[in-house]
Amino acid sequence: MKKNGLPRLVVLAVILGVSGFAVLGYNAFRKDVLAMQAASQEDITWTSFQLEQELGRFRDALNQFQIDGTGVDASTVNTRFDILWSRIAVFQQGRVGERLAQYDRETLIVPRLFSQMKSVDRRIVNLQDTAKADAALLVLEFAPYADELREFSRFVTLGEETRGREIREQLQAGVNRTLLLGGLAIAIALFSLAYINRESMRFRRLAAANRKLADVAEKASRAKSQFLTMMSHELRTPMNGVLGLLALSKQGAVQKNQLHLIEQAEQSGRQMVGLLADILDFSALHSDELHLENKPFELTHLAHAVREQFTPLAKREGISFDVTVNQNCPPRYQGDFRRLRQAFSHLAQYVVETAGVRDAEMEFSCNNSALVVKLSFDYLSHGGEWTPDLILGGDRRDDRAFASDALGPAIARGFIEAMNGTLLVDNPVGERIQVIARIPIEEFVVTALGVAVITSSEAMAAICRAALSTSDIDFLQKDDPTEAHIVLVEAGNITEGNFLVRARENHPNALIVGLGTPINPDAFDFSVKLPLDFHELREIVALRTA
Amino acid sequence: MHSLLTLGKQLFSVLFVLANLFATAAFAAGDVVLTLENTSEGVVVELTEDDLMALPQAVVLTENEFVDGLAEFSGPLARDVIALLNDPDMDMLTLTAINDYSVEVPVVDFAEYDVIFALFQNGNRFSPRDKGPVWVIYPMTDHEELQDRVYNDRLIWQLVRVSAL
């Protein structure tokens, strides 16, 4: 930076200096032009000559007045005297008078002539046609002024010529100065252009180098992300296998204490699968590869799912957690049920784990085509480290952003923002804080429901048909290519994965309902435990039908 | 030096004004002060001071090279005066002063600008020993383009005759 500081200052100083010279030069040039204009507007040479001329005419009139038969009488002499008087008047006013008076400051011929005229004024006015001798006397009295006025006219003429020459010389000098400054300005402009061009090339090189570095960093980041995604996938597959085997082992004859151990192992496994899912989601959010689903769901089911997912933690922490749904909301919406459930669960979990809450409430409501979820909790009940920045996604970029408890809120915020939603923390009222999520969402209106059943057992399919026989439902045949609204999939055994793949492939937008206890609950929208609870199954379908 | 010159000029001006006040020269009532003529049509119109005063009077506030600062001039509009010749085809006029100095003026000047045949300056009637009987005044302050030697030459004073060419 130091290297470039000096030339910039020098260039700036030179430009300012030249600008100053240009202003001075312009002002001088302008003054010269104005002087030229003033000098050329009125020719005072002519005015001084007129005074000399009118004195001559007055004297001629006096001479002819003395000669009979010339037609010049006392009135004519008076008129000529008046005209001469009026020429004197020109010297008294205006710029013309001022300029003429400057030439007369040495000789004072005009004031002297005027003084003479005033002294003879009465004689002229009272001149009788017979007073020839008086006229002769007047001719003699005015005679000396004729030569002096001639000399004055010559002096004015010479003075004006000199003045004109000086102004022309000044103008020429002004033009020369302007040309010099213009040349200097062009030189500076060229120098500046060269300098700017050099700097521009330097910055372009710098930008190219930065781009390369950014590309390298981007590639490295993408590679890390891909590695993370791949590893998460790879870890999840064996984990599902472990969970499947654990589920199978429960079906055998096991001791109560063994069953407890298996359930604990299942819970840990599910937590591991959930964590892997979070890592995958986080990775997808950061690589802009998150694909949101747009499927119909019940708002009450969403509330129920959040409550179900959060209840174990709430129980463990001894927290009262209440979830309510505003009755004025439409029952069904279209959106990504799973991501919404995750987002709200993560929010609730973060609040409970960090804010030390004693009780929390989550209210689902709607407002102008938006789903509004308010999570309110009692802060400072048990202390705790409440950090709203992690929820709001502020500008903090310290190591806290990558702490273990930062993943949940980051995913929640990422999902909500991916759905064009907003997240804010309301001003605390007393010790109660409210986190508000507002997500634009579309209401879903049901027309007719098609249901597909994927099971290994025809008996199970028949039971399902029987359970839903009273509903207005069209059961699709095995090879029917129509996309179903609901797919009932046999869950909890080794075929679960294959059945799910088939369900997703043939019915990508359908609601997936597991029949039994799923090995991978996240893969299902709902599940109904075996033996099949008809009422529960009908409720799910009835809600969709309604 | 300059201040002395200014002082001398002011003294001279005061003396000149006093001299004009006591001067006997004036225009007699009923005397013809301005003659309009259109030789091709054989029309001659002679106007007295009263005739000029009877026409609508206009006021022009302007500076020029022959007065100190802004001065208020009043008199009939030049276009109203030459309209008395009743010749719409006139395009050039010759304005002649009492000392036979003359200048040619295009008639369009009088149409485009409020040129007046001034009889008064700052409320004082022009004396024959100053610019009287009539001084042709262009509104130079209001129209910058008139501040030029061409129009300066047309500020003819002691005007006595207007002739259509």
Side-chain angles (χ1 to χ4, degrees), chain B residues 28 32 48-49 88 96 120 155:
Chain B
V32 172
T48 64
E49 188 175 339
T96 307
F120 297 88
L155 298 179

Side-chain angles (χ1 to χ4, degrees), chain A residues 40-43 54 57 81-82 85-87 89-90 92-96 102 105 114 121-122 125, chain B residues 5 9 12-13 16 19-20 22 24-25 65-68 98-99 101 121 129-130 149 152 157-158:
Chain A
S40 64
Q41 195 163 338
E42 177 59 29
D43 186 359
E54 292 306 332
R57 285 178 174 174
F81 190 71
D82 288 348
W85 193 293
S86 75
R87 296 296 110 182
V90 175
Q92 313 309 309
Q93 292 186 73
R95 281 184 290 273
V96 169
Q102 280 179 348
R105 62 175 181 260
F114 187 45
D121 187 22
R122 289 290 110 193
V125 171
Chain B
L5 187 70
K9 190 189 163 194
F12 193 16
S13 298
F16 184 80
N20 265 340
F22 292 105
T24 53
E65 292 288 295
F66 305 99
V67 294
D68 293 329
I98 196 167
N99 67 342
Y101 169 78
Q121 179 183 340
R129 289 187 171 185
D130 188 6
R149 185 168 177 174
N152 226 41
W157 58 75
Q158 291 181 320

Side-chain angles (χ1 to χ4, degrees), chain A residues 486-489 511-515 524-528 537 540:
Chain A
I486 299 173
V487 185
L488 305 178
V489 179
L511 194 71
I512 308 294
V513 179
L515 301 173
F524 293 86
D525 295 311
F526 297 97
S527 61
V528 184
L537 183 62
I540 293 169

Side-chain angles (χ1 to χ4, degrees), chain A residues 470-523:
Chain A
T470 54
S471 305
D472 184 17
I473 286 170
D474 183 18
F475 275 93
L476 305 178
Q477 297 300 316
K478 256 187 182 176
D479 50 355
D480 191 335
T482 311
E483 188 179 342
H485 294 99
I486 299 173
V487 185
L488 305 178
V489 179
E490 187 178 331
N493 57 38
I494 201 77
T495 60
E496 180 186 300
N498 289 334
F499 286 170
L500 272 172
V501 170
R502 201 195 309 169
R504 295 284 179 213
E505 278 180 0
N506 296 333
H507 312 283
N509 297 310
L511 194 71
I512 308 294
V513 179
L515 301 173
T517 306
I519 296 169
N520 180 12
D522 286 342

Side-chain angles (χ1 to χ4, degrees), chain B residues 1 3 9 12-13 16 18 29 35 38 41 43 47 53 69 79 87 102 104 108 113 117 122 129 134 137 146 153 165:
Chain B
M1 192 62 175
S3 57
K9 190 189 163 194
F12 193 16
S13 298
F16 184 80
L18 287 172
T35 302
N38 188 339
E41 300 290 328
V43 177
L47 301 170
M53 294 286 286
R79 56 176 170 267
D87 182 0
S102 65
E104 289 189 359
V108 71
Y113 304 106
F117 284 173
N122 297 329
R129 289 187 171 185
V134 172
I137 290 293
L146 295 178
D153 288 346
L165 293 176

Side-chain angles (χ1 to χ4, degrees), chain B residues 20 22-23 28 38 46 48 55 61-62 86 93-95 141 157:
Chain B
N20 265 340
F22 292 105
N38 188 339
E46 293 185 327
T48 64
L55 289 167
L61 194 65
T62 188
N86 199 23
L93 298 168
T94 300
L95 310 187
T141 299
W157 58 75

